[in-house]
Amino acid sequence: MTIGIKYHDDGKKLIISVKRKFDFTLLNEFRQAYSNDTAMSAEIVIDLRSTSTLDSSALGMLLNMQEYLGKKDGEITIINCNADVMKVFNITHFENKFTIKVI
Amino acid sequence: MKKILVVDDVSANRKLLRKILSKLIDCIVIEADNGNEAITLTEKESPDLILMDVNMPEMNGYQSASAIKAIAGDNHIPIIFVTALSAEASLSHSLASGGDDFVSKPLSAEILKSKINAHLRIRELNQQLSDKNNQLILHNQHLTREQELIEHFFKYTLQQSFLNKEAIKYHMSPMSTFNGDLFLVERAPQGGIYLVMGDFTGHGLTAAMGTLPVAMIFFKMAKKGTAIGDIAREINYQLHKLMPTGMFFAATLIELNSRSDQMSIWMGGMPESYWLSKNGDLKDVIHAQHMPLGIMDDNSFDTSVEIYNVEKGDKVYLYSDGVTEAYNLDGEMFGSDRLKEILVTQGDNRFEDILCELTTFTDSSDQNDDITLVEITCSQISAAEQDDQNTCNTIYSE
């Protein structure tokens, strides 16, 4: 599996991790990771420690997730971004929508 | 009901087969007493299966089978030889002449029935395949026609750009028929130019869809002399409303004033741009200050622009990420460092040099995204005049 799903604190926190390339090929798998009732009420953290690159469709997938879960700007946290991934977030100013942390 | 053609020069044999068949399966039996008649009947009656005697005067069964298969073409008509010859010789001969199988005399009703049913099943599968194939061909023709119509629509909407060859050089290379990259220029009513260059999420028709409303908004507002921050806001508002979440438009909007000494830039989600002096010194690297268009709520949209004091002859380079993210055959990316390197070291033809290096780099590897490169040279552009139409050009396709 390219997408990892781990619940912490009795389901109060969901950590989704993405391996290697975060791109359109993960569209369905990524959506499935958060499309359930437990995720709906959980705190969401996206762990990109093992993500090498991220493209614009991945950005779209993150926006879709935010809308689907009804999260406010900054409520979803994206952690462990490498330099290449940070570059994409910086260019697109995704810090307006997500709380973004470098590795 | 299935139609079976029995070919035999001996009338008694035909009668015997007809009798056996009538007991075995529900079918219509037609008869031919020689190879030529078999061919004529195949064309006229279009049987579902043929039982063919091998030894006949004039044209034997193998010759007749070859001729029938040639005429039938894609329409698969199974031919089963009825033969008293040895199994080995019959089989190789049957298949070589285009036949499908054989049954040995004396006939076993059970074997004949099984073989006929098996071959009728194959014929049915073949017909289904052929039907599907025809459907696909029709569907494809329909799609091609639709694509032509849509192409016309895009061309008409995007061809209104004002292009002054001294001030603007551009190169656009869509990955497929429809371009998700967009580049438009309009002359400001007070002199100077407006320009938008951007890149929709993805590529192909879905990405290109969004270029239509952007072009309409841009031309309309630029003609009125609206500030670019406000044009950006309107585009963002409409795209946010129209597009599904997850699709957006990374874009740079530029206004160059009539004296050509001030450039205002609103830049959202685009890779950095380079500003060079007339002599080729790097004056500044311009970074995106905003998110791409179509994501932000109108209430939180930021219309602020960055203003640069430019001089005549200064050059600004804009590009879509299709340039820097182009891959070569080794899977290596062109990269922004390579682009910057060409810009700061090359001579007078940077625009051409970049394109040349990019072509050499990617060689024969497949293009993986839409590619756009623009060079703006700061120069005086007068206000629009009615008779000055010769610089209008289409930028959609080359």
Side-chain angles (χ1 to χ4, degrees):
Chain A
M1 289 292 272
T2 321
I3 304 252
I5 304 165
K6 258 192 188 147
Y7 282 95
H8 295 261
D9 307 338
D10 295 332
K12 282 188 203 115
K13 185 172 179 178
L14 167 61
I15 301 183
I16 301 174
S17 58
V18 183
K19 267 188 203 143
R20 292 183 291 276
K21 289 182 175 177
F22 192 177
D23 61 18
F24 66 94
T25 57
L26 301 181
L27 190 78
N28 288 325
E29 209 183 323
F30 186 73
R31 186 180 294 159
Q32 277 160 18
Y34 61 79
S35 304
N36 56 68
D37 291 344
T38 329
M40 211 74 187
S41 52
E43 176 199 344
I44 308 285
V45 176
I46 310 295
D47 185 354
L48 300 186
R49 181 178 292 279
S50 310
T51 310
S52 53
T53 56
L54 173 144
D55 73 352
S56 62
S57 26
L59 295 176
M61 282 146 70
L62 289 168
L63 291 170
N64 267 318
M65 173 182 66
Q66 186 193 34
E67 185 190 62
Y68 180 88
L69 298 172
K71 299 284 184 191
K72 291 199 185 75
D73 290 349
E75 277 186 355
I76 294 174
T77 309
I78 302 172
I79 59 167
N80 295 321
C81 304
N82 73 19
D84 283 343
V85 171
M86 266 327 278
K87 198 177 168 193
V88 177
F89 285 138
N90 285 335
I91 286 174
T92 51
H93 289 269
F94 258 55
E95 75 277 2
N96 286 322
K97 293 268 159 190
F98 300 90
T99 302
I100 297 170
K101 291 173 183 168
V102 293
I103 201 157
Chain B
M1 208 189 293
K2 299 296 179 193
K3 199 184 276 181
I4 296 179
L5 170 61
V6 174
V7 190
D8 201 313
D9 57 322
V10 181
S11 147
N13 289 345
R14 295 200 302 272
K15 284 213 175 84
L16 179 66
L17 261 175
R18 180 187 281 276
K19 206 173 156 191
I20 298 172
L21 285 172
S22 67
K23 285 178 190 160
L24 291 179
I25 50 172
D26 201 13
C27 65
I28 300 166
V29 178
I30 49 174
E31 297 175 25
D33 62 10
N34 62 65
N36 278 320
E37 203 192 344
I39 297 167
T40 317
L41 271 182
T42 302
E43 284 183 295
K44 217 167 89 185
E45 299 279 339
S46 163
D48 293 295
L49 186 140
I50 300 173
L51 290 172
M52 177 90 74
D53 182 29
V54 177
N55 294 317
M56 293 184 287
E58 286 171 54
M59 183 187 269
N60 71 25
Y62 298 136
Q63 292 165 325
S64 176
S66 297
I68 288 171
K69 286 288 181 180
I71 293 164
D74 288 342
N75 177 18
H76 174 68
I77 306 173
I79 298 178
I80 301 176
F81 288 107
V82 182
T83 171
L85 301 172
S86 79
E88 219 168 280
S90 301
L91 183 65
S92 63
H93 246 101
S94 306
L95 299 183
S97 64
D100 298 278
D101 210 339
F102 74 96
V103 285
S104 312
K105 286 188 210 171
L107 291 173
S108 144
E110 259 322 297
I111 290 178
L112 183 64
K113 185 182 175 184
S114 311
K115 288 200 170 180
I116 288 175
N117 282 334
H119 282 285
L120 285 175
R121 267 202 306 278
I122 294 175
R123 173 168 163 80
E124 208 153 287
L125 285 174
N126 256 289
Q127 277 174 328
Q128 284 172 9
L129 194 68
S130 153
D131 287 350
K132 288 266 181 299
N133 218 351
N134 288 333
Q135 275 175 21
L136 270 179
I137 290 168
L138 274 176
H139 192 65
N140 201 24
Q141 284 168 348
H142 183 69
L143 271 181
T144 310
R145 174 73 188 130
E146 276 200 322
Q147 188 160 316
E148 280 166 9
L149 292 173
I150 299 170
E151 255 185 281
H152 173 86
F153 199 54
F154 277 95
K155 269 185 191 163
Y156 188 78
T157 313
L158 303 178
Q159 74 183 356
Q160 308 166 48
S161 256
F162 165 78
L163 285 172
N164 181 314
K165 289 197 176 70
E166 259 124 68
I168 289 154
K169 285 183 186 171
Y170 72 94
H171 168 84
M172 294 187 96
S173 162
M175 180 182 154
S176 52
T177 312
F178 298 105
N179 201 345
D181 280 4
L182 177 69
F183 174 54
L184 303 169
V185 191
E186 179 60 274
R187 227 165 358 170
Q190 65 275 21
I193 50 170
Y194 282 95
L195 187 152
V196 60
M197 200 218 106
D199 175 6
F200 275 91
T201 325
H203 39 74
L205 183 57
T206 42
M209 286 297 294
T211 60
L212 295 178
V214 171
M216 288 158 104
I217 296 163
F218 172 78
F219 286 128
K220 190 173 165 195
M221 295 184 86
K223 277 190 187 110
K224 286 183 187 159
T226 316
I228 51 162
D230 291 328
I231 299 180
R233 177 185 209 136
E234 181 62 18
I235 293 173
N236 178 72
Y237 173 71
Q238 294 295 347
L239 291 184
H240 187 61
K241 217 167 57 173
L242 282 171
M243 289 196 303
T245 309
M247 249 190 96
F248 47 81
F249 179 48
T252 301
L253 282 87
I254 291 182
E255 183 191 355
L256 183 65
N257 69 351
S258 62
R259 288 186 309 280
S260 196
D261 57 8
Q262 189 177 296
M263 187 177 267
S264 317
I265 301 186
W266 187 99
M267 192 167 168
M270 287 295 278
E272 62 271 24
S273 293
Y274 298 95
W275 169 27
L276 276 74
S277 75
K278 194 179 176 179
N279 303 324
D281 302 321
L282 184 65
K283 281 187 154 177
D284 208 347
V285 179
I286 306 165
H287 294 276
Q289 324 105 296
H290 306 285
M291 292 198 89
L293 294 163
I295 300 175
M296 299 294 282
D297 220 275
D298 188 50
N299 297 326
S300 37
F301 190 79
D302 183 359
T303 59
S304 67
V305 296
E306 306 228 321
I307 295 171
Y308 296 87
N309 294 316
V310 293
E311 289 174 57
K312 224 172 266 177
D314 281 4
K315 289 184 194 294
V316 176
Y317 293 87
L318 311 175
Y319 56 92
S320 63
D321 58 9
V323 174
T324 47
E325 291 174 11
Y327 285 93
N328 67 9
L329 289 169
D330 297 329
E332 190 191 348
M333 252 182 4
F334 190 71
S336 47
D337 291 344
R338 198 183 309 261
L339 180 72
K340 195 175 170 186
E341 187 67 23
I342 303 168
L343 283 172
V344 296
T345 55
Q346 304 278 340
D348 294 330
N349 303 309
R350 290 184 180 78
F351 179 81
E352 290 78 9
D353 290 338
I354 295 169
L355 290 182
C356 183
E357 292 258 348
L358 186 63
T359 313
T360 315
F361 179 82
T362 52
D363 197 12
S364 52
S365 60
D366 289 337
Q367 187 176 335
N368 55 323
D369 197 0
D370 302 323
I371 287 174
T372 304
L373 176 69
V374 174
E375 179 194 77
I376 306 160
T377 306
C378 299
S379 45
Q380 222 149 9
I381 289 163
S382 56
E385 284 168 36
Q386 288 300 320
D387 58 349
D388 188 13
Q389 290 296 315
N390 58 340
T391 43
C392 288
N393 206 338
T394 167
I395 66 160
Y396 177 65
S397 67
E398 305 186 80

